[in-house]
Amino acid sequence: MDIQDQLKNLFPDHKFEEKSVEEKPDVWLQEEPILCKYEKRKGKPITILDGYNGATSDFKKLAKEIKTKLSVGGSYKDDKIIIQGDYRNEIMEILKAKGFKVKRVGG
């Protein structure tokens, strides 16, 4: 018996209202897909997210969220998010869960 059942037993005439919670995306969602690329620079693998045309603050929020979820390093430079390592699959899952369209490019 949870708290809602106990309250219904104590106050049988009371009408409980369900609160609807709508999640607002914290970054701007775009129609075009984000391109998820794999490259090697100086012999080390990196994942590049290209094609996002949101505001600079949205870029930084998105880059920080991806870096913290994957526990990796990375940066934001020239309208691209650069993540250290080959994390294309994980990044694509994170972005799809947020509502983005993602397209895998190369390899």
Side-chain angles (χ1 to χ4, degrees), residues 65-81:
E65 182 177 341
I66 290 171
K67 290 189 301 183
T68 31
K69 284 189 178 180
L70 297 176
S71 300
V72 295
S75 65
Y76 157 74
K77 189 187 292 184
D78 299 328
D79 293 338
K80 295 179 184 177
I81 297 173

Side-chain angles (χ1 to χ4, degrees), residues 19-23:
K19 292 184 179 179
S20 62
V21 178
E22 291 184 22
E23 291 187 27

Side-chain angles (χ1 to χ4, degrees), residues 27 34-39 41 46-68 70 72-85 88 91 95 98 100:
V27 293
I34 295 177
L35 303 176
C36 190
K37 302 176 188 176
Y38 169 76
E39 286 185 13
R41 292 187 182 171
I46 60 168
T47 305
I48 300 173
L49 298 175
D50 194 10
Y52 182 64
N53 53 11
T56 305
S57 61
D58 290 345
F59 268 111
K60 290 180 181 179
K61 284 181 190 176
L62 196 58
K64 183 171 183 168
E65 182 177 341
I66 290 171
K67 290 189 301 183
T68 31
L70 297 176
V72 295
S75 65
Y76 157 74
K77 189 187 292 184
D78 299 328
D79 293 338
K80 295 179 184 177
I81 297 173
I82 301 170
I83 304 294
Q84 296 174 355
R88 287 176 288 180
I91 291 172
L95 292 176
K98 290 185 77 60
F100 286 101

Side-chain angles (χ1 to χ4, degrees), residues 6-21:
Q6 291 175 1
L7 288 173
K8 287 178 184 176
N9 289 339
L10 288 173
F11 306 104
D13 296 334
H14 183 72
K15 296 179 182 175
F16 293 96
E17 295 179 14
E18 296 291 327
K19 292 184 179 179
S20 62
V21 178

